[in-house]
Amino acid sequence: MPVTPLNPTLSIIIPTFNEAENLPLLIPRIASVLSGTGWLWEAIVVDDNSADGTRESLETLAARFPQLRHIIRKTDRGLSSAVLAGSQMARNDFIVVMDADLSHPAEAIPSLIEPLLRRGAGSPGDRADFAIGSRYVDGGKMEEWSWLRSLNSRGATLLAKPLVGSIHDPMAGFFAFRRESLRHADPLNPIGYKIGLELLAKMHIAPDRVAEVPITFRSRLHGQSKLTLKEQFRYLEHLSRLYDYKFPKGSPRTKFLIAVGCGTLAAFGALFLLDAEGVAPILSLAGGMIAMILVTLLFFVRYVRTQREFVVMKYPYTEFIYISMAEFIAGWSFAVATQANL
């Protein structure tokens, strides 16, 4: 069957971990939605070695739906890497990424693909390069979200704004793009769960080439959310990497100023507290400088752990100790000799 704008071919990537109860509902729903379109499609489930019977569920579904393929991964696990692994397996022209927990409506897949098919004879926005199932445009909404979860989502979206400009919902996990766009992307190295944000940045997609299709985001039907506190910290690390990528000069300088500012606040805070307790000035000065070094160490450890490939020091922690000792001795000696405060 020839491929035309009315007859696209889709590869639907579904990363999973412990979704045995949701997949028997999702795959038939996808098949039902796409059966009336005449489109060629495949569903690729990338599972991170679930222990809840997901493998058996996939084998049963594959017997019913020949479009279904799956891979069980025992190493290099995580949502972002699962999407990239599925994209490497994809055979078709358009890639759709969606969650397995039924929060993303399968019924919206045709609407998500449609902006990618337009022949842009008019303005640059006539044909999109990336489409998002958006919660934050007119017609989009979320069901049964607490105010705390909504606030958390809005805050995470606000932090990503410098990277994506006018896009309303860059955090969405339901999106589509042309497979060929991956060939032109810069090297991808996402961590955490926001692979869509990584793709928007690394594929150099301008905001006016992104179509946001309104969807109703629903709460998961079965199982537990994978959005743990650890994953939220990993999101901040991911943002840090993308800021360095997008703003290679401004981002490191800003981080340096933040680290210096936090160290200075810690130093003066410790100094004032020790002074208030009547500690001898010579000891309160030492306490203030130690507080500054400890706060600096927290930033340094995070940097070494997340950016190890960019660290030029052969033994970073040993060198940090030497530098900190020299800083302490020089600063403390100068303050004592001149009878100055910190």
Side-chain angles (χ1 to χ4, degrees):
M1 183 181 296
V3 177
T4 71
L6 298 178
N7 179 36
T9 63
L10 312 183
S11 291
I12 303 168
I13 313 299
I14 308 169
T16 62
F17 182 67
N18 292 340
E19 300 288 0
E21 293 181 281
N22 290 318
L23 284 168
L25 301 174
L26 176 63
I27 300 302
R29 189 174 297 179
I30 292 174
S32 176
V33 169
L34 296 179
S35 63
T37 64
W39 297 352
L40 300 175
W41 65 278
E42 63 177 354
I44 302 173
V45 175
V46 182
D47 182 70
D48 283 349
N49 200 28
S50 299
D52 69 337
T54 295
R55 181 197 295 265
E56 292 76 14
S57 178
L58 285 169
E59 290 172 352
T60 300
L61 288 166
R64 291 176 55 197
F65 301 98
Q67 301 95 335
L68 176 62
R69 295 193 288 150
H70 67 274
I71 179 175
I72 307 295
R73 304 191 308 165
K74 297 184 178 180
T75 59
D76 191 27
R77 297 191 288 179
L79 188 148
S80 292
S81 63
V83 171
L84 296 183
S87 299
Q88 291 173 353
M89 294 174 60
R91 300 166 176 163
N92 294 331
D93 295 328
F94 294 89
I95 289 178
V96 177
V97 176
M98 66 187 305
D99 290 345
D101 60 7
L102 304 177
S103 60
H104 298 148
E107 296 76 15
I109 292 176
S111 299
L112 202 63
I113 293 297
E114 193 272 334
L116 304 177
L117 300 177
R118 296 175 188 156
R119 296 302 184 186
S123 65
D126 282 348
R127 174 170 164 173
D129 294 324
F130 201 95
I132 294 173
S134 178
R135 302 160 289 182
Y136 301 138
V137 294
D138 289 343
K141 63 179 181 178
M142 298 165 289
E143 285 188 351
E144 300 175 7
W145 268 28
S146 67
W147 69 269
L148 185 60
R149 186 178 181 187
S150 180
L151 180 64
N152 181 55
S153 175
R154 292 284 188 177
T157 300
L158 185 63
L159 290 173
K161 273 292 183 183
L163 299 169
V164 298
S166 61
I167 299 173
H168 295 86
D169 197 2
M171 313 298 291
F174 186 31
F175 55 87
F177 58 94
R178 295 179 191 83
R179 184 162 64 99
E180 67 179 16
S181 298
L182 285 174
R183 301 192 188 105
H184 309 295
D186 289 339
L188 300 167
N189 57 348
I191 57 176
Y193 61 102
K194 293 305 178 186
I195 179 64
L197 187 60
E198 175 90 2
L199 293 171
L200 284 169
K202 298 292 182 70
M203 292 197 301
H204 305 286
I205 297 175
D208 65 350
R209 304 289 288 183
V210 176
E212 295 193 74
V213 177
I215 66 165
T216 297
F217 184 95
R218 298 182 173 88
S219 298
R220 68 166 38 249
L221 189 61
H222 299 292
Q224 295 181 337
S225 172
K226 313 303 187 295
L227 183 56
T228 61
L229 184 61
K230 179 180 178 181
E231 285 300 319
Q232 295 188 56
F233 276 110
R234 284 167 64 82
Y235 168 66
L236 294 179
E237 291 185 8
H238 189 198
L239 270 185
S240 178
R241 285 189 183 186
L242 288 177
Y243 276 129
D244 286 349
Y245 167 80
K246 189 83 171 182
F247 311 106
K249 292 183 178 179
S251 177
R253 291 171 181 170
T254 301
K255 292 176 186 177
F256 175 78
L257 292 176
I258 291 172
V260 168
C262 291
T264 303
L265 289 175
F268 280 105
L271 177 64
F272 292 147
L273 285 174
L274 292 172
D275 280 345
E277 293 295 323
V279 176
I282 192 170
L283 295 178
S284 62
L285 284 168
M289 295 204 66
I290 290 172
M292 179 177 64
I293 290 170
L294 290 176
V295 170
T296 307
L297 177 62
L298 292 177
F299 283 92
F300 187 75
V301 169
R302 194 211 69 83
Y303 182 79
V304 172
R305 289 181 60 189
T306 61
Q307 308 287 341
R308 191 64 181 89
E309 63 269 30
F310 303 113
V311 176
V312 296
M313 293 179 285
K314 189 174 182 180
Y315 304 106
Y317 292 113
T318 302
E319 295 191 34
F320 181 88
I321 291 172
Y322 290 154
I323 292 169
S324 297
M325 289 175 59
E327 180 182 54
F328 177 87
I329 293 170
W332 184 77
S333 300
F334 177 81
V336 171
T338 60
Q339 296 184 344
N341 61 27
L342 195 61

